[in-house]
Amino acid sequence: MNKFIDNKILSGDKNQFTLLAGHCQICSRLYFPTLLNCSVCETDLKEYKLPKKGTIWSWTTQHFQPKNPPYDDKQGIESFQPFCLGIIDLNNELRITAKLIDVTTEDIYINMPVELVQLPFKSFRNGNDVTTFAFQPIKK
Amino acid sequence: MKNDIYIIGVGLHKFGRTPDKTGLEQAKSAVNKALKDSKLKWQDLDFAVGGSQDAGNADSLINKMGATGLPFINVFNGCATGGSAMITGMNSILAGQGSLGLIVGFDKHDPGAFRVDLDKWDLPQWYGDMGFALTTQFFATKINRYMHDHNISESSLVRVAMKAFKNGNLNENAWRTKILSYDDIKSSIMINHPLTKYMFCSPSEGAAALIICNEEVANRYPSNQKIKIKACSFKSRREGTFEVFQPSYQPHMVNTVTKDAALDAFNKANISPEEIDIAQIQDTESGAEIMHMAELGLCEDGEQEQLLANNETHINGKLPINTDGGCLANGEPVGASGLRQIIENVIQLRGQAGKRQTKNPRLALSQVYGAPGISCVSILEKVQ
Ligand SMILES: [Zn+2]
């Protein structure tokens, strides 16, 4: 069993890995991260596996080290490297903020197809090795 | 009209860094200037509304100004605090709390990007852990998509910043007054693609105060002193908008919160956006000014490229924007920023802006924006 950065948003193992949202069965709204109940219908939300493939709706880079706290990436705090992040459109169901790997500012573009991948993450705060998520270009 | 509200006094404490003064001391200085401008004393006020993020409780000002029993309400809405102070003050007059009130905002922030308290903004821990709790990323992704959709080039981003520092140079209360060249801005270090260092504003210090009153009190003032608040609209985001500090977004988009606030303000004022002569717009970064221009209805999406290339938003252009240098040249003391915009509009409408005076403006708009997606739009009118 993997240890995730937050069990509310991620589930599975090395092979089967998904992002979890909450789905309202009355109004079909999706919540990421999930809530206790639908903020409109007030009913319980059902666990929903978000699509693993999507496209980059928009992107940017993070060139300076964010303040710690809240930033808690041990590797980043010890030797910060700029990274890319994007707003990923998941099959027009939901858009989420995610780190992008295996891309450079030269080859990245809006509408680029990307897929969900696991990313090792070391927490500075509690010294734990956990798994988080990122997206990378879909390899042909 | 009976329910009209006027601004009869304004006071600003210089923005930037004032190491020898606390935020509250800067606020006191702004309040005293506003009282002097309106020829009033602290004892004349019926109520006060104020806000600050990092520089203390606004109502502590009574220790410095006088404990007179004045009802003093504290408000806070992040970067839009100036807007919430203003609308709370106006509502106080309309509700009969009094006929004369003080609106004050001030702040004093540490250098560098704001440190985000995740709990305060209802954000999950992992979002902060991974390095997403930064407003700058939001603005960068928003303008990157906007540039893609509406053919806005990098040169427009540079031009907005160039104009800001040019105007800041004409403003004795601004923080950054050095004129920067196209290349200075374009080649400064990248912060969040496509935005470089000089395209972003920084947290700073400063204070701003306004005296507002009802029609009856305004009648005692000459017409070139009082400015009418034609409309003020304060909105929070609706479901389906792309706004700051959200881990996820609905793909089916509705009007941004700024568009909503602008439509409401124009409706209340019963005027159209084409009638606006000057505007002070939230320019957290260059791209925000560009996008807010269209969201406010001041131009069409994509039209900004040509307007900026022709310097139409400069002081002598068709639609002067951020005539005091905006957030880019003044920095952003969160509590004071929205009121700084309104004060600049008052000074411009009175014709007291000196070297940066625009040509005989009659209607002036201001817009302040903040997390988690709130926007306040005000329209001021010169009394003829
Ligand atoms: Zn529902």
Side-chain angles (χ1 to χ4, degrees):
Chain A
M1 229 355 232
N2 283 6
K3 217 174 161 218
F4 293 117
I5 194 164
D6 186 341
N7 289 325
K8 241 161 81 175
I9 59 164
L10 294 164
S11 84
D13 55 32
K14 216 171 170 186
N15 304 314
Q16 281 300 317
F17 173 70
T18 48
L19 280 170
L20 298 178
H23 179 245
C24 173
Q25 288 171 289
I26 295 173
C27 70
S28 295
R29 273 183 178 77
L30 282 177
Y31 294 92
F32 178 81
T34 191
L35 302 174
L36 284 176
N37 45 42
C38 176
S39 55
V40 179
C41 313
E42 294 180 11
T43 50
D44 291 349
L45 296 172
K46 204 169 164 232
E47 190 176 287
Y48 180 85
K49 289 181 170 140
L50 285 169
K52 294 183 186 189
K53 289 181 180 173
T55 54
I56 296 177
W57 183 77
S58 188
W59 63 276
T60 185
T61 49
Q62 181 59 38
H63 277 265
F64 64 93
Q65 184 176 320
K67 280 183 179 170
N68 163 268
Y71 184 55
D72 192 40
D73 181 342
K74 188 172 183 182
Q75 211 184 317
I77 288 167
E78 284 171 355
S79 63
F80 182 75
Q81 293 295 320
F83 60 87
C84 288
L85 67 137
I87 310 293
I88 314 300
D89 186 291
L90 298 171
N91 198 24
N92 215 22
E93 293 177 20
L94 203 65
R95 289 181 188 144
I96 65 168
T97 304
K99 195 165 175 172
L100 292 162
I101 59 167
D102 280 351
V103 286
T104 67
T105 53
E106 306 303 314
D107 57 31
I108 193 171
Y109 60 94
I110 284 173
N111 295 330
M112 184 182 211
V114 288
E115 63 187 358
L116 180 70
V117 285
Q118 303 191 11
L119 190 71
F121 186 90
K122 278 184 198 295
S123 164
F124 204 74
R125 190 169 1 99
N126 52 27
N128 281 341
D129 286 6
V130 293
T131 297
T132 187
F133 67 101
F135 280 78
Q136 69 180 19
I138 295 175
K139 307 229 162 60
K140 296 245 166 75
Chain B
M1 255 173 52
K2 198 163 160 273
N3 285 336
D4 284 340
I5 296 171
Y6 294 80
I7 299 168
I8 47 165
V10 294
L12 200 66
H13 181 280
K14 188 175 162 47
F15 278 36
R17 297 262 171 244
T18 311
D20 59 335
K21 270 193 202 168
T22 66
L24 276 163
E25 283 163 351
Q26 295 179 43
K28 181 187 173 183
S29 154
V31 171
N32 278 329
K33 283 182 195 169
L35 288 170
K36 194 177 168 207
D37 185 38
S38 52
K39 298 169 190 72
L40 292 168
K41 294 194 210 58
W42 176 252
Q43 290 76 10
D44 297 326
L45 296 170
D46 295 322
F47 66 89
V49 182
S52 167
Q53 176 175 289
D54 293 334
N57 298 331
D59 56 0
S60 303
L61 267 174
I62 62 165
N63 297 337
K64 299 193 182 303
M65 299 299 304
T68 54
L70 179 76
F72 200 128
I73 315 283
N74 293 352
V75 296
F76 181 68
N77 283 81
C79 301
T81 296
S84 49
M86 174 88 163
I87 205 151
T88 304
M90 291 173 67
N91 288 339
S92 299
I93 290 182
L94 293 176
Q97 170 96 46
S99 50
L100 194 57
L102 165 74
I103 314 295
V104 58
F106 56 100
D107 245 312
K108 192 177 175 86
H109 306 297
D110 293 335
F114 288 113
R115 188 189 297 279
V116 173
D117 180 340
L118 299 170
D119 291 340
K120 262 192 196 171
W121 298 105
D122 194 23
L123 289 168
Q125 187 68 50
W126 61 265
Y127 186 83
D129 285 352
M130 290 176 67
F132 298 151
L134 287 153
T135 57
T136 60
Q137 289 174 3
F138 158 77
F139 286 110
T141 47
K142 189 179 173 199
I143 187 63
N144 201 15
R145 178 75 197 193
Y146 192 86
M147 290 164 79
H148 171 267
D149 286 349
H150 301 290
N151 282 317
I152 301 289
S153 69
E154 188 198 16
S155 63
S156 287
L157 299 175
V158 178
R159 288 199 167 97
V160 167
M162 273 175 80
K163 183 227 353 143
F165 299 119
K166 191 180 160 200
N167 292 352
N169 180 258
L170 303 173
N171 178 2
E172 69 281 6
N173 286 315
W175 180 22
R176 300 190 187 282
T177 56
K178 194 179 159 218
I179 292 177
L180 296 178
S181 73
Y182 190 97
D183 285 337
D184 288 340
I185 295 160
K186 186 184 152 82
S187 60
S188 63
I189 58 167
M190 186 61 81
I191 302 289
N192 300 98
H193 176 95
L195 301 165
T196 63
K197 183 183 168 190
Y198 291 123
M199 296 177 190
F200 274 106
C201 88
S202 306
S204 69
E205 304 173 21
L210 305 170
I211 310 287
I212 62 169
C213 68
N214 64 9
E215 176 98 38
E216 195 193 327
V217 175
N219 284 340
R220 307 203 296 252
Y221 288 84
S223 60
N224 59 358
Q225 163 95 15
K226 57 191 172 193
I227 298 296
K228 186 168 157 183
I229 305 173
K230 190 97 173 150
C232 183
S233 175
F234 187 97
K235 297 275 185 189
S236 66
R237 70 177 175 85
R238 287 189 286 148
E239 188 179 13
T241 55
F242 184 64
E243 311 286 1
V244 67
F245 285 167
Q246 291 174 267
S248 67
Y249 307 88
Q250 301 297 326
H252 310 290
M253 294 214 170
V254 300
N255 282 353
T256 66
V257 63
T258 292
K259 217 176 236 184
D260 277 349
L263 286 171
D264 187 50
F266 282 117
N267 194 32
K268 281 179 181 159
N270 196 24
I271 61 162
S272 69
E274 298 81 56
E275 294 178 68
I276 294 295
D277 298 307
I278 55 166
Q280 316 299 331
I281 298 180
Q282 178 84 28
D283 57 336
T284 316
E285 40 79 30
S286 299
E289 180 171 316
I290 292 172
M291 295 182 285
H292 288 151
M293 282 167 69
E295 289 175 34
L296 291 164
L298 301 176
C299 69
E300 295 295 321
D301 285 321
E303 212 187 323
Q304 300 96 327
E305 182 82 5
Q306 202 57 47
L307 288 170
L308 290 163
N310 295 343
N311 293 338
E312 296 293 10
T313 61
H314 283 233
I315 281 167
N316 52 3
K318 254 190 335 205
L319 177 65
I321 291 177
N322 291 335
T323 47
D324 66 350
C327 292
L328 290 177
N330 287 281
E332 194 181 18
V334 157
S337 200
L339 299 178
R340 167 188 57 75
Q341 298 176 320
I342 290 172
I343 290 175
E344 174 65 6
N345 276 342
V346 168
I347 292 171
Q348 289 281 348
L349 292 173
R350 283 181 181 174
Q352 296 173 337
K355 280 182 284 184
R356 60 178 198 283
Q357 181 63 49
T358 58
K359 202 183 160 205
N360 199 19
R362 184 178 71 87
L363 286 162
L365 176 143
S366 61
Q367 173 244 353
V368 65
Y369 173 87
I374 46 180
S375 193
C376 183
V377 173
S378 306
I379 299 170
L380 304 185
E381 186 182 37
K382 183 177 179 163
V383 177
Q384 301 294 340

